[in-house]
Amino acid sequence: MDEDFDFGNEPPILKVGDENEIGKQGLKKLLLKEGDGWDSPEPGDEVEGQVIKGWDEGIKTMKKGENALFTIPPELAYGESGSPPTIPPMATLQFNVELLSWTSVKDICKDGGVIKKIIAEGEKWENPKDPDEVLVKFEARLEDGKVVAKSDGVEFTVEEGYFCPALSKAVKTMKKGEKVLLTVKPQYGFGDKGKPAPAGEDAVPPNANLQITLELVSWKTVSEITDDKKVIKKILKEGEGYERPNEGAVVKLKVIGKLQDGTVFLKKGQDEGEEFFEFKTDQEQVIDGLDRAVLTMKKGEVALLTIEPEYAFGSSESQQDLAVVPPNSTVYYEVELESFVKEKESWDMNTEEKIEAAGKKKEEGNVLFKAGKYSRASKRYEKAVKFIEYDTNFGEEEKKQAKALKVVCNLNNAACKLKLKDYKEAEKLCTKVLETESRNVKALYRRAQAFVQLADLDLAELDIKKALEIDPNNRDVKLEYKTLKEKMKEYNKKQAKFYGNMFAKLSKLESNDSNKGAAQEAEPMSI
């Protein structure tokens, strides 16, 4: 059965020669010539010409260059009074309208405090974000035309702002190359205090409205590579296309590494004929901050990285190619991603290659686990499982190999998650193993450990008892059972104490109530 979808107040799509009613008050539109693109004027936008309500409603449906004949009923024109001497009362009017252009007007803060009128359209669709560094030209005037500030190029971080709050609010709505006129009320200018006069300029008086011409010349995208904001990337030159290196890709860089005082400790690939700085990502061949940042870059991208000690060389002194990096140093890298070769993804592999790649990732995970690098080991086990997750095209022998690998990797990953105190994830991984091997002692044992930490003691006991039925002499399971019994004992004590205290309080309340009742009975009745 077909459904009719309601798209709200969308204007009907007309072909040349079609006539349609707009709204429900009798306004009609006959399309004489199609317009360009998709944009139409929005409420608040300025269109040249005097407007009656019918025009207002009709023009909102037009595109640039469109020509239409509007039939406007009296209710949407001049009504009962008409417009003497030309238009009589209750007249239906016809207008032949061609929409040449319009000026986009936006109330940026939705309170009338900053009104933006677009003078020149910008490029593409992106807008700067709070961390980005913008380059603008602007001129600010008072209502009487006096210039109070002007710059042919000033750079600032959007979040930090510049001159007055209106500038940063406006640039977040602008595209590269866009030029606008801002009408700014005092709350987004300099409020009731105003601004003293800098050399060669006029002061901004208290409670002054401002007219600001603003052009967004360009901006540098700034992104936080780590959630704790300790690795920051500022793009100096955009890269090509959409592809980025994956984990395990071989990358070639031009790089300069500096300390805060400008000391260069690394320089590679800068001079003609000089070798590029080459490494394999996600292999601990370089500092963690550089490793992570490169994974976000495109070919040809140039970026400035700010890397705090936790993601750089830490609390130890480090001898680099050209200088020593002192302990606890924040380091700065200017990096250009010259080229990269991605590690083969599972969809590019045949069955044999998938099983081989999964085995290799498992071994890498084992090495990292033994080194106490549980988070990195966990990622290797996850990647191993992804290579062999979908085994519909595998032969019987290959399915057996894949199943065995999945079991080992999920179990090892569960061990990582236990070390990382991610008990919920450890429990999920063990459950996945038990769905295919219900008598797997390691899975039961590790899931019991997770349950103990999650305080699901009854479920932990079920897993331990089942594991001991399968392997009664397993030392690790026996020890875990001992731990569980102690936890249960401790839990029962707490429960007993809690309920004991609760009953004591209830008894006290009951006792107080009965004493109060007896005292009331003993009081003589007043006459």
Side-chain angles (χ1 to χ4, degrees):
M1 179 178 149
D2 291 333
E3 286 187 56
D4 288 326
F5 293 100
D6 180 13
F7 290 106
N9 298 319
E10 287 290 311
I13 297 168
L14 300 181
K15 292 176 185 166
V16 173
D18 286 354
E19 185 174 47
N20 267 64
E21 188 168 341
I22 297 164
K24 294 178 180 174
Q25 289 180 275
L27 173 65
K28 289 182 180 175
K29 173 183 172 182
L30 171 66
L31 185 65
L32 304 177
K33 186 185 102 178
E34 286 186 3
D36 305 321
W38 297 97
D39 286 339
S40 299
E42 293 179 21
D45 289 353
E46 292 180 0
V47 181
E48 289 294 324
Q50 257 192 317
V51 176
I52 55 175
K53 197 174 179 191
W55 264 45
D56 205 13
E57 295 300 313
I59 285 170
K60 282 195 289 191
T61 71
M62 297 181 78
K63 296 176 177 67
K64 190 176 180 180
E66 187 181 311
N67 188 196
L69 180 70
F70 289 104
T71 303
I72 303 177
E75 295 79 8
L76 298 176
Y78 294 97
E80 291 179 10
S81 56
S83 183
T86 320
I87 299 168
M90 297 305 289
T92 294
L93 307 177
Q94 282 197 324
F95 288 94
N96 187 324
V97 180
E98 183 174 0
L99 182 59
L100 300 175
S101 66
W102 69 88
T103 303
S104 177
V105 177
K106 296 277 184 290
D107 180 356
I108 290 174
C109 302
K110 311 292 184 214
D111 61 1
V114 183
I115 302 295
K116 179 183 95 167
K117 190 188 289 187
I118 295 179
I119 299 166
E121 294 284 345
E123 307 166 16
K124 300 187 181 175
W125 53 271
E126 301 101 329
N127 308 116
K129 305 286 185 294
D130 276 335
D132 295 346
E133 203 172 88
V134 294
L135 175 65
V136 304
K137 294 179 183 177
F138 82 100
E139 182 177 88
R141 294 173 180 266
L142 300 177
E143 286 179 300
D144 63 6
K146 274 185 189 171
V147 174
V148 289
K150 184 177 180 178
S151 174
D152 286 331
V154 64
E155 207 165 29
F156 62 92
T157 303
V158 176
E159 199 166 22
E160 289 171 6
Y162 184 78
F163 184 60
C164 70
L167 255 63
S168 60
K169 289 189 179 295
V171 293
K172 284 203 278 189
T173 71
M174 295 171 70
K175 302 179 182 111
K176 185 182 174 184
E178 187 176 314
K179 193 173 180 182
V180 301
L181 176 65
L182 304 176
T183 302
V184 181
K185 293 274 177 71
Q187 68 264 34
Y188 296 104
F190 295 96
D192 55 9
K193 290 180 181 172
K195 179 179 179 283
E201 292 174 358
D202 282 291
V204 178
N207 298 309
N209 292 323
L210 296 170
Q211 293 281 316
I212 302 175
T213 309
L214 176 67
E215 182 184 348
L216 178 57
V217 180
S218 63
W219 77 84
K220 293 166 186 162
T221 304
V222 177
S223 52
E224 294 153 2
I225 304 297
T226 56
D227 293 338
D228 56 10
K229 303 182 182 181
K230 291 186 175 182
V231 181
I232 303 291
K233 180 181 84 163
K234 185 198 291 184
I235 296 176
L236 304 179
K237 183 187 145 208
E238 291 287 341
E240 308 162 15
Y242 298 96
E243 287 279 295
R244 293 177 171 89
N246 59 357
E247 290 170 352
V250 175
V251 297
K252 289 184 179 178
L253 311 174
K254 291 179 181 175
V255 63
I256 299 174
K258 294 180 182 178
L259 301 176
Q260 203 157 9
D261 65 3
T263 303
V264 175
F265 61 83
L266 176 68
K267 191 169 178 249
K268 285 273 176 80
Q270 297 294 320
D271 301 321
E272 200 159 335
E274 188 185 6
E275 279 187 17
F276 294 114
F277 187 55
E278 185 177 321
F279 64 91
K280 195 172 187 181
T281 62
D282 200 37
Q283 296 289 322
E284 298 185 307
Q285 293 178 3
V286 295
I287 59 168
D288 196 21
L290 178 58
D291 210 345
R292 293 184 190 215
V294 166
L295 294 174
T296 71
M297 294 178 72
K298 299 172 189 168
K299 187 183 175 185
E301 183 180 315
V302 180
L304 180 65
L305 309 177
T306 303
I307 305 172
E308 292 194 26
E310 293 89 331
Y311 297 92
F313 300 98
S315 56
S316 305
E317 182 177 280
S318 178
Q319 177 63 57
Q320 293 297 297
D321 284 6
L322 303 175
V324 171
V325 176
N328 301 309
S329 292
T330 294
V331 292
Y332 305 84
Y333 286 84
E334 190 172 312
V335 178
E336 181 176 349
L337 180 56
E338 184 64 27
S339 66
F340 61 90
V341 178
K342 291 176 88 168
E343 183 174 73
K344 220 173 181 183
E345 300 282 8
S346 61
W347 52 82
D348 295 322
M349 296 179 180
N350 60 36
T351 305
E352 195 179 318
E353 286 173 324
K354 284 179 185 178
I355 291 170
E356 190 184 327
K360 195 177 168 190
K361 290 290 167 199
K362 183 201 82 173
E363 291 308 321
E364 286 176 14
N366 291 351
V367 170
L368 288 163
F369 187 91
K370 283 171 189 166
K373 295 171 181 176
Y374 305 118
S375 187
R376 295 177 76 86
S378 173
K379 277 166 70 180
R380 294 296 193 280
Y381 295 132
E382 280 166 14
K383 202 157 188 181
V385 170
K386 275 184 185 168
F387 281 127
I388 49 175
E389 205 162 12
Y390 305 105
D391 56 4
T392 44
N393 298 325
F394 287 18
E396 281 309 306
E397 189 52 43
E398 291 161 339
K399 278 187 180 178
K400 274 184 197 171
Q401 285 177 277
K403 184 187 168 187
L405 269 170
K406 274 190 238 181
V407 165
V408 170
C409 289
N410 282 330
L411 280 173
N412 290 0
N413 197 5
C416 291
K417 298 296 183 188
L418 287 170
K419 294 282 189 186
L420 294 164
K421 297 184 166 42
D422 188 352
Y423 304 117
K424 199 75 202 157
E425 204 54 41
E427 179 254 308
K428 281 183 192 171
L429 288 160
C430 293
T431 301
K432 210 177 268 188
V433 171
L434 290 162
E435 281 166 4
T436 56
E437 290 187 2
S438 62
R439 291 172 63 82
N440 188 300
V441 173
K442 272 187 184 173
L444 288 164
Y445 164 60
R446 284 179 190 160
R447 190 168 73 172
Q449 285 181 298
F451 281 143
V452 166
Q453 296 301 327
L454 292 165
D456 289 331
L457 304 181
D458 292 339
L459 292 174
E461 189 173 29
L462 283 173
D463 278 352
I464 287 173
K465 282 182 173 175
K466 189 170 181 181
L468 285 172
E469 276 173 32
I470 300 161
D471 186 1
N473 299 315
N474 190 305
R475 186 172 168 273
D476 289 334
V477 180
K478 282 180 176 177
L479 283 170
E480 192 59 34
Y481 201 10
K482 193 180 174 186
T483 305
L484 174 66
K485 281 179 177 173
E486 282 165 9
K487 285 254 179 193
M488 288 179 107
K489 203 174 173 183
E490 195 182 310
Y491 175 76
N492 290 334
K493 263 186 197 171
K494 279 182 185 171
Q495 291 291 91
K497 191 178 179 184
F498 171 75
Y499 286 113
N501 289 342
M502 194 171 78
F503 289 134
K505 280 176 188 172
L506 283 170
S507 300
K508 197 175 178 182
L509 283 170
E510 284 169 11
S511 171
N512 287 344
D513 285 346
S514 59
N515 289 340
K516 198 175 175 184
Q520 283 171 345
E521 281 174 29
E523 279 177 10
M525 191 181 288
S526 57
I527 297 170

